[in-house]
Amino acid sequence: MLKQHRELSMSIRRTIENNEKAGIRPSKTYQSFVAAAGGHRELNFIEKDVRNYITREVRNVSEQEDAKEFGKYLLRMKEKNQNFFFELELEEDQSIKLAFWADARSRAAFEYFGDVISFDTTYNTNRYNLVCGSFVGANHHGQSTLLGCSLMKNKEIESFKWLFECWLRCMGGNAPKGFLTDQCASMKRALEACMPTTIYRWCIWHIMKKIPSKLNGYKGHADIEQEMSQVVWNSHRKDSFDRNWNDFLLNFGLVDNKWLSVCVWVYSVDLYEDHHIWVPIYLDHHFWAGMRNTQMSESIHSFFNKFITRNSSLIQFVKQYDNCLGSREQAERESDAADFHTFQDVYTHQKFREVQAQFRGKANCITRLTNSALGYSVYELGEQVSSSIFNKFVVTYDSVAAEVKCQCLLFESRGILCRHALSVLSFEQVSQVLPRYILERWSKKVKRRHTHIKSSHDEPLLEPRSKRFDQLVFRSQNICEFASESEELTAILHRAYDNVMAEMESLKAKRKWTSSLSHEDANLESVNELQSPPRIRTRGRPKNRLGSKLDKQIANATKKKKTKVLSEINLFDAASVVHSNSSQYQRHVMNYQFRVPGAGDNSLGV
């Protein structure tokens, strides 16, 4: 337990570093060491040593070096793949104001999944209170896929304009068809300026979540909340929404309620006036890839929550962003592989399950023909939602064009046929739908270019000894696994270890670890291993000239001849100051083409 007897071996240190990158907590890391050793008493260190090592060595990034390391990370990623994109906006003191980056895989994935984007800025991730904004799309499995990341110092209109223009440049100037965000007036104005043709939508989940807090003071607030949700979700025509909303206010005596009748919300946004950007009936005739809220963005943020705190550095954040990219890539690869072992022919497995759910929902539908003329039929579908609730939908079918359309707009918004349309097709004895009702976006047969691109991942900058250690451990694992099959093989390996250890100790004693380095065999790795000689501290003023042996003999003889002591004379009437010259090591700087800032533009771009 004495501090001088406690130490962390290289194997322990490397395990701590890897576990920290994987987001494993220090307490869990220590418990794994205890389990492997067979108890606390078998370890020559304690949990505090593990925590101190993480704080001192792994997370020890000063605020002065943090931004520099962040910039170096971006340059390394650009060096590994020229399609990596980043831009920075700097303050006058060169501090980071805005940052955006996207790797090559994300840029390639935008070609297939950039039609609808979810963007959320409700998450702070670092010690500088920079806001994280993630551009997230939905892939062919309905999974979230990252299409860019940003850090922002504020949420002003100009900041959002800079970010959206930067993102459009990154994606080749192609704006998405739909853009889903949290409720923010400055973001809304920036989007209208940068992407005028894009359909803008507020996250309905954030809006409906505020209902309980706004209506909690009313008697029967639970009934009010339920009725309001019914009006929002089950108004299947635009005119019916306005009528149902007014009836709702009258029935519950809420006409004078400022929040409901005027609906003035935070950010000075009139919610009712902007109902066309959050009420489903005004938006679902556009394609949204199944997204009505920013849940996909928040699923990315929940990943960060496992590893990132408010005290995390920028370099810690980008490392975990790399991990998030890797996990999203792996999830897509696993789903792609699973699709080859399922029986469906066209859809991915996840989307096929959604189609199956619609077929099962047919059992709750009652189909009634209300009008038919010249091959054009109008049906009324009654769907039993619960024991006391029936919803009605109007479905039209054109037998000449083989076109079906439902009032619920599920196909228009999600890209799969609804149970109401399927009921009508069954009633019309249609055995096969047209290809336009099976979107290529949800197909497993499409070869997508981004699947051949690896997501960005920053390789650790290890010391040469750590690199050699990792290589030796990797090779020794295979040998140990083979030798553990029997006692005879294990004995052979033990003898080999003893012989190798004796040979290395003999070489170490012979060479005493001295070596030479010449221009013939020198390389960058060997130069990186060079260490400065130990510093020798001397007494008094250091002498710049050492002098020869003869000079020293003459000086000693002169000192012996001096017998008179000058006690009253101050020999040192002035202080001398020695200025030491230090040489600066000029690092090799990669030659990148930077965008020259224009007038008033203090930005750095690659």
Side-chain angles (χ1 to χ4, degrees):
M1 301 298 291
L2 295 177
K3 187 175 182 180
Q4 58 268 31
H5 291 167
R6 301 200 309 262
E7 63 177 353
L8 301 177
S9 66
M10 177 167 284
S11 176
I12 296 296
R13 295 197 303 270
R14 294 295 296 128
T15 302
I16 294 173
E17 293 167 4
N18 292 331
N19 286 2
E20 175 67 12
K21 292 175 186 175
I24 300 175
R25 296 179 179 178
S27 60
K28 298 293 185 182
T29 297
Y30 178 73
Q31 289 300 323
S32 69
F33 293 141
V34 173
H40 290 269
R41 289 179 175 269
E42 306 303 322
L43 293 176
N44 58 346
F45 57 91
I46 59 178
E47 184 176 341
K48 184 178 180 181
D49 297 325
V50 175
R51 294 182 179 276
N52 288 344
Y53 181 76
I54 292 174
T55 304
R56 185 178 64 252
E57 302 294 339
V58 181
R59 299 179 182 174
N60 187 21
V61 180
S62 64
E63 295 182 3
Q64 292 77 14
E65 295 296 323
D66 197 13
K68 295 179 182 177
E69 292 299 324
F70 176 62
K72 291 176 183 177
Y73 159 83
L74 297 175
L75 290 175
R76 286 195 299 271
M77 294 300 99
K78 183 72 174 180
E79 177 72 12
K80 293 178 67 173
N81 193 319
Q82 288 300 309
N83 285 328
F84 185 91
F85 182 98
F86 75 88
E87 283 193 15
L88 303 177
E89 177 82 7
L90 307 179
E91 299 279 17
E92 292 182 357
D93 61 354
Q94 299 302 299
S95 62
I96 296 176
K97 179 182 179 182
L98 297 163
F100 170 79
W101 69 97
D103 71 331
R105 180 183 172 87
S106 297
R107 299 180 73 183
F110 177 82
E111 178 183 349
Y112 308 98
F113 313 130
D115 47 1
V116 181
I117 298 298
S118 171
F119 181 74
D120 185 40
T121 57
T122 59
Y123 189 64
N124 290 344
T125 58
N126 48 73
R127 64 181 69 160
Y128 313 104
N129 205 30
L130 295 177
V131 179
C132 171
S134 54
F135 295 84
V136 181
N139 66 10
H140 50 303
H141 303 286
Q143 301 166 335
S144 58
T145 180
L146 281 163
L147 301 176
C149 188
S150 64
L151 293 172
M152 300 189 298
K153 198 170 184 179
N154 56 59
K155 291 186 177 183
E156 297 175 357
I157 296 177
E158 293 304 318
S159 297
F160 282 119
K161 282 185 178 180
W162 179 93
L163 177 60
F164 294 149
E165 290 172 356
C166 179
W167 185 72
L168 287 174
R169 285 194 299 273
C170 174
M171 301 305 173
N174 300 313
K177 296 178 181 178
F179 206 95
L180 195 147
T181 73
D182 54 314
Q183 192 181 357
C184 178
S186 56
M187 190 189 307
K188 178 176 179 288
R189 294 179 183 178
L191 274 170
E192 291 172 346
C194 299
M195 307 179 200
T197 61
T198 299
I199 306 299
Y200 176 54
R201 182 173 193 162
W202 280 343
C203 172
I204 193 171
W205 181 82
H206 280 113
I207 293 175
M208 301 303 291
K209 187 178 68 171
K210 298 176 182 178
I211 295 177
S213 62
K214 296 292 184 179
L215 302 178
N216 195 31
Y218 283 86
K219 183 179 180 180
H221 63 86
D223 294 334
I224 297 175
E225 180 182 346
Q226 182 179 357
E227 182 64 23
M228 183 176 174
S229 298
Q230 181 76 10
V231 171
V232 171
W233 291 107
N234 293 323
S235 297
H236 301 299
R237 294 193 309 273
K238 296 178 182 179
D239 57 342
S240 67
F241 170 77
D242 293 329
R243 184 173 60 254
N244 293 339
W245 184 269
N246 291 328
D247 291 343
F248 159 68
L249 297 180
L250 290 172
N251 293 337
F252 287 93
L254 299 171
V255 177
D256 295 330
N257 183 283
K258 294 182 180 180
W259 180 72
L260 290 174
S261 58
V262 183
C263 288
V264 180
W265 285 46
V266 291
Y267 307 116
S268 300
V269 174
D270 190 333
L271 185 67
Y272 185 77
E273 181 180 338
D274 291 324
H275 60 274
H276 62 284
I277 59 176
W278 68 275
V279 178
I281 187 57
Y282 288 88
L283 295 159
D284 282 351
H285 54 284
H286 299 289
F287 181 71
W288 292 99
M291 290 191 286
R292 281 179 171 173
N293 52 48
T294 57
Q295 183 179 359
M296 288 198 168
S297 296
E298 291 175 8
S299 68
I300 300 298
H301 294 166
S302 66
F303 180 92
F304 289 134
N305 271 332
K306 299 176 184 177
F307 315 115
I308 297 295
T309 67
R310 291 293 298 271
N311 294 323
S312 298
S313 62
L314 290 177
I315 197 64
Q316 282 178 280
F317 174 77
V318 295
K319 286 180 179 179
Q320 294 306 329
Y321 180 79
D322 280 352
N323 290 341
C324 190
L325 283 175
S327 69
R328 295 293 85 205
E329 177 189 357
Q330 182 64 15
E332 184 176 322
R333 291 175 66 244
E334 290 176 2
S335 297
D336 286 341
D339 284 342
F340 286 101
H341 304 289
T342 52
F343 62 87
Q344 68 269 16
D345 183 54
V346 178
Y347 285 112
T348 61
H349 183 61
Q350 179 60 35
K351 286 301 165 182
F352 183 70
R353 293 178 63 183
E354 295 180 19
V355 173
Q356 279 185 316
Q358 295 302 318
F359 270 95
R360 288 193 298 269
K362 287 172 54 183
N364 298 325
C365 297
I366 300 174
T367 306
R368 185 171 68 90
L369 179 63
T370 59
N371 191 13
S372 180
L374 301 176
Y376 186 83
S377 303
V378 179
Y379 291 86
E380 184 180 85
L381 269 290
E383 181 183 10
Q384 185 176 4
V385 179
S386 65
S387 59
S388 60
I389 299 177
F390 276 82
N391 290 334
K392 292 184 179 181
F393 300 90
V394 175
V395 181
T396 60
Y397 178 69
D398 187 343
S399 59
V400 178
E403 184 179 31
V404 63
K405 188 172 182 178
C406 180
Q407 195 179 33
C408 75
L409 300 174
L410 184 72
F411 176 75
E412 287 78 4
S413 61
R414 291 177 57 183
I416 59 175
L417 284 173
C418 65
R419 51 197 173 276
H420 319 118
L422 292 173
S423 297
V424 170
L425 292 176
S426 296
F427 191 89
E428 291 281 347
Q429 297 182 348
V430 176
S431 60
Q432 188 171 359
V433 299
L434 293 181
R436 67 169 175 264
Y437 291 111
I438 303 176
L439 298 189
E440 189 178 74
R441 198 190 192 286
W442 307 131
S443 174
K444 72 176 187 179
K445 291 184 175 181
V446 178
K447 302 297 181 182
R448 297 173 174 87
R449 184 169 59 92
H450 76 281
T451 58
H452 303 288
I453 304 175
K454 185 179 179 181
S455 61
S456 65
H457 187 77
D458 192 18
E459 295 179 357
L461 302 176
L462 299 177
E463 297 179 354
R465 185 180 181 185
S466 297
K467 287 183 179 180
R468 291 193 296 266
F469 178 82
D470 288 351
Q471 292 169 356
L472 290 170
V473 169
F474 180 76
R475 294 198 64 183
S476 64
Q477 287 176 346
N478 296 330
I479 299 174
C480 293
E481 182 178 355
F482 183 79
S484 62
E485 293 180 359
S486 66
E487 291 291 342
E488 293 80 3
L489 293 176
T490 303
I492 293 174
L493 183 58
H494 278 305
R495 290 195 297 270
Y497 276 149
D498 293 339
N499 294 335
V500 171
M501 194 67 185
E503 183 179 353
M504 289 191 298
E505 289 177 348
S506 175
L507 180 63
K508 182 179 179 179
K510 183 186 300 183
R511 296 179 57 184
K512 294 182 180 179
W513 287 109
T514 60
S515 61
S516 61
L517 186 66
S518 68
H519 69 92
E520 297 176 349
D521 56 356
N523 53 44
L524 183 59
E525 182 176 353
S526 60
V527 172
N528 285 336
E529 294 186 24
L530 292 178
Q531 302 291 331
S532 301
R535 182 174 179 178
I536 305 300
R537 298 188 180 276
T538 60
R539 294 181 178 178
R541 173 182 174 182
K543 298 179 180 179
N544 293 332
R545 184 175 183 271
L546 296 178
S548 64
K549 186 176 181 180
L550 180 60
D551 291 337
K552 293 180 180 179
Q553 292 176 349
I554 296 174
N556 290 334
T558 305
K559 287 181 181 180
K560 292 178 180 179
K561 292 180 180 180
K562 293 182 179 180
T563 56
K564 185 177 182 180
V565 179
L566 302 176
S567 59
E568 297 180 357
I569 301 176
N570 185 5
L571 298 178
F572 299 94
D573 56 353
S576 60
V577 180
V578 179
H579 297 278
S580 61
N581 296 322
S582 62
S583 61
Q584 295 182 348
Y585 173 69
Q586 299 293 333
R587 262 191 87 215
H588 173 66
V589 179
M590 291 175 283
N591 184 19
Y592 288 100
Q593 191 69 33
F594 292 96
R595 179 167 61 83
V596 179
D601 179 19
N602 193 21
S603 62
L604 168 64
V606 176

